[in-house]
Amino acid sequence: MEAAKPRDAMTKRIFIVASAVISLAFVVWQCVWAVATPSFRGPDEIQHFNSILRVATTGDWPDPGGATIDSQVVIAIHEAGFMAGDPDFFAIANKSPLRGGMGEFAGYATPYQFATITPHLDRTVIDYGTTEPTNLTDQMTQHPPLYYMVVGGVIKTLGALDWTWDRQLLLARIVSILMTAPIVPALIFTARRVGLSRRTSLVTGVLAFIVPQLVFVTSVVTNDALAIGAGALTIAACAAGMFGKGSWRAVICAGLALGLGLWSKGTFLPFGLVVGLAFVLNRQAGSARMRWLKGISAGLIGVVTGGFWWIRNLVTFGTLQPSGLSRHSVEEGTDFVKFLRQAFRLFVDSSWGEFGWLEWWLRAPVIAVLAGVTALLLIISLAKGPDLLKKLNLLGFYFLVGIVLLVQAWSAFQETGYTQGIQGRYLFPGIVGMLVVAALPWARAMDRRGSSWPLLIAPAISVLVGGYALADWLLACYFSENSVIFLDWTRWSLATGFEISSLHMVIMVAGLSLAIAALTPAVASFHANRHSRVLDA
């Protein structure tokens, strides 16, 4: 049965306006991170950028393992200070680490703080495909091409093929951010569907700021952007299917969202089960036969609109997703306990604060608190209150993808001796469901008691964590002992190609976006209550 929504003085109009304000604040916050993050510092951002330029320039999408990185893209990553030395040796020792050394590779690479960066005016305008290709593999053609076609199409349409590579990269980051714009609206919509009041639903929307890794991943060039945006829409549609009447409109929306996500990457495939169960679990959707019909129909809509790539892979290659890279074996791995320890650490770190090309972390206590409190809230949420199966389904993507990744990583560990493929960002298409389930214990308690403290406390904690993460990231990238705040503005200006005055403006915009996000739920509630008192009088 649909959860009863608490009586709320907030009007629908105020609620919609406040939701839009928080959503815009989060998009602005992501854009700040896009400017803060050095070029090519996102996971596999070089390969994603290379594939975007290939599609924009030639329209080609080679078979998995058949694409290479253009030699002019290699020039660009040299100019960015990301890599030095022989481009044919694309290994960790050849990259510029954010830390002063990388264990066994210490001394082999210049730390990013001291790496040579080419000024903006001297940077290359890439003429893709006009020079000899490298032998560096671009593994991104193992994925569907939609993300690359969209970003490449925007670059081509705006005439950005004639821009220097840094401006192309920033534009690609902004397009990626826009793909993830559904995150906050989906959070608020899902919270409302599961039965929270309008005011606590707004607070739930601000929780997007409390996951630094989410903001980092969605502010760089990556096909995860399409998966995360489509995943947010899918969770919202599933919430409508589970907690509403399970209408055929919800079936169509869930199926279309699933189909869109299937064009992003293979890790989206488990969403098919989540979508189907959303209608099967909802007794308001009709008889058992009708619920199964709706669930299967939603899945079939997803297959029809987004299943072509995966069917094509099965027919052409005999597997759902061929690997774009070959594995380099170190030794056979047999220690399952060691594997589980490594996998757990990788999942936790890369879900909350593992930045750069995954070589720089937030402080361990911060990650431990964020992960620990979230886990505790999830346990409480599942243990108390109604709708256990529905809440489990909202978390279903996390469970299913986590199992798939562990199975694949264990297979790779046995073959190569090291743990790979465990990344928290692969779980982010389902993060809307995770955050809403984690919010339920305290949000429902506050709705029952009519308390106002979460309207300020929870958003304040969220934006403080977000602000701390950005500050720590900026210091990791542009640290200076000679500055009052230890931030080398000149170095940041050199890296981005923007004037220092512009970067000052970026920081002010960052603070403004955090303040607006933190205060909007309280301001909206105050305005609603005041309006209600006027009407009552």
Side-chain angles (χ1 to χ4, degrees):
M1 126 175 235
E2 183 179 4
K5 296 181 177 63
R7 188 173 180 180
D8 204 320
M10 188 178 297
T11 65
K12 186 176 182 180
R13 180 182 179 183
I14 294 175
F15 179 63
I16 291 175
V17 171
S19 299
V21 169
I22 297 171
S23 301
L24 180 59
F26 187 68
V27 169
V28 171
W29 181 240
Q30 291 171 291
C31 290
V32 170
W33 274 77
V35 176
T37 301
S39 299
F40 304 116
R41 281 285 160 183
D44 300 323
E45 192 170 25
I46 295 167
Q47 291 89 334
H48 291 299
F49 181 66
N50 182 77
S51 281
I52 288 169
L53 291 185
R54 185 196 323 106
V55 171
T57 306
T58 69
D60 293 339
W61 197 254
D63 288 338
T68 58
I69 298 176
D70 192 85
S71 57
Q72 293 190 51
V73 173
V74 173
I75 293 174
I77 61 180
H78 275 275
E79 293 179 351
F82 179 86
M83 191 176 82
D86 183 2
D88 290 335
F89 180 50
F90 199 58
I92 189 171
N94 217 40
K95 300 172 184 176
S96 303
L98 290 170
R99 298 181 185 274
M102 295 294 294
E104 61 182 298
F105 298 105
Y108 283 86
T110 302
Y112 179 72
Q113 181 182 358
F114 305 106
T116 300
I117 298 177
T118 301
H120 166 68
L121 294 178
D122 297 327
R123 289 174 183 170
T124 300
V125 176
I126 296 174
D127 191 4
Y128 195 95
T130 59
T131 54
E132 287 295 320
T134 67
N135 62 359
L136 305 176
T137 301
D138 175 359
Q139 74 270 27
M140 294 309 151
T141 53
Q142 68 182 335
H143 301 298
L146 180 60
Y147 167 80
Y148 306 91
M149 292 172 63
V150 171
V151 182
V154 171
I155 288 176
K156 186 175 182 178
T157 301
L158 295 181
L161 288 174
D162 296 327
W163 297 0
T164 54
W165 60 261
D166 54 337
R167 295 299 180 255
Q168 291 176 331
L169 186 70
L170 182 58
L171 175 59
R173 287 179 173 182
I174 293 173
V175 176
S176 299
I177 288 169
L178 294 178
M179 288 185 184
T180 66
I183 292 175
V184 173
L187 265 172
I188 297 172
F189 176 88
T190 303
R192 187 70 177 136
R193 278 293 184 178
V194 303
L196 298 184
S197 67
R198 285 172 175 162
R199 60 183 197 145
T200 48
S201 294
L202 292 176
V203 174
T204 303
V206 184
L207 294 181
F209 289 83
I210 207 171
V211 189
Q213 190 74 22
L214 174 66
V215 186
F216 170 72
V217 168
T218 56
S219 65
V220 297
V221 179
T222 172
N223 65 347
D224 289 298
L226 178 59
I228 293 169
L233 293 174
T234 304
I235 289 291
C238 286
M242 278 194 296
F243 295 92
K245 295 181 180 180
S247 66
W248 282 102
R249 183 174 67 176
V251 170
I252 294 172
C253 289
L256 292 176
L258 174 63
L260 175 63
L262 290 177
W263 279 103
S264 61
K265 55 198 312 177
T267 49
F268 206 90
L269 289 167
F271 248 131
L273 181 59
V274 176
V275 167
L277 288 176
F279 297 92
V280 173
L281 294 173
N282 185 6
R283 294 185 178 181
Q284 281 194 306
S287 64
R289 181 179 178 181
M290 179 58 68
R291 298 201 306 269
W292 278 98
L293 176 62
K294 289 181 176 180
I296 293 172
S297 297
L300 287 176
I301 291 173
V303 171
V304 169
T305 56
F308 165 79
W309 185 261
W310 310 106
I311 296 172
R312 171 246 187 201
N313 280 352
L314 285 173
V315 173
T316 305
F317 305 109
T319 183
L320 275 174
Q321 180 165 300
S323 178
L325 284 174
S326 59
R327 293 173 178 171
H328 301 285
S329 179
V330 178
E331 60 181 359
E332 291 185 0
T334 58
D335 191 339
F336 186 65
V337 174
K338 174 184 176 182
F339 163 75
L340 285 180
R341 285 201 307 267
Q342 292 177 344
F344 177 77
R345 180 184 59 79
L346 288 170
F347 259 136
V348 172
D349 288 347
S350 61
S351 292
W352 291 99
E354 192 174 18
F355 304 154
W357 34 279
L358 306 179
E359 94 283 16
W360 187 88
W361 303 268
L362 288 177
R363 296 330 190 249
V366 174
I367 293 178
V369 170
L370 289 173
V373 171
T374 302
L376 179 61
L377 288 173
L378 289 173
I379 292 171
I380 295 173
S381 181
L382 294 175
K384 298 179 64 175
D387 303 320
L388 173 61
L389 292 179
K390 292 180 180 180
K391 287 185 284 190
L392 284 172
N393 198 43
L394 284 177
L395 296 172
F397 184 80
Y398 265 62
F399 294 138
L400 293 171
V401 173
I403 292 171
V404 169
L405 292 178
L406 285 173
V407 170
Q408 292 180 341
W410 171 242
S411 175
F413 181 83
Q414 289 177 299
E415 180 181 335
T416 65
Y418 59 92
T419 305
Q420 56 183 318
I422 300 291
Q423 297 300 332
R425 70 179 186 274
Y426 298 152
L427 305 175
F428 285 165
I431 197 167
V432 166
M434 188 276 285
L435 289 176
V436 169
V437 174
L440 286 178
W442 57 264
R444 280 179 171 165
M446 296 308 106
D447 280 336
R448 287 194 300 268
R449 298 171 185 172
S451 175
S452 298
W453 71 263
L455 299 179
L456 284 173
I457 303 300
I461 293 173
S462 298
V463 300
L464 284 174
V465 170
Y468 160 77
L470 177 64
D472 223 20
W473 179 230
L474 284 171
L475 292 178
C477 300
Y478 315 109
F479 177 79
S480 173
E481 294 181 349
N482 299 322
S483 172
V484 175
I485 59 173
F486 302 106
L487 181 61
D488 190 337
W489 292 93
T490 301
R491 181 74 171 174
W492 188 12
S493 174
L494 175 63
T496 60
F498 291 117
E499 297 292 334
I500 293 178
S501 58
S502 298
L503 297 179
H504 289 165
M505 185 66 68
V506 168
I507 293 299
M508 286 189 287
V509 169
L512 184 62
S513 66
L514 291 180
I516 289 174
L519 294 174
T520 294
V523 171
S525 183
F526 172 79
H527 181 72
N529 291 334
R530 182 181 178 186
H531 180 69
S532 178
R533 287 194 296 270
V534 170
L535 291 179
D536 290 341

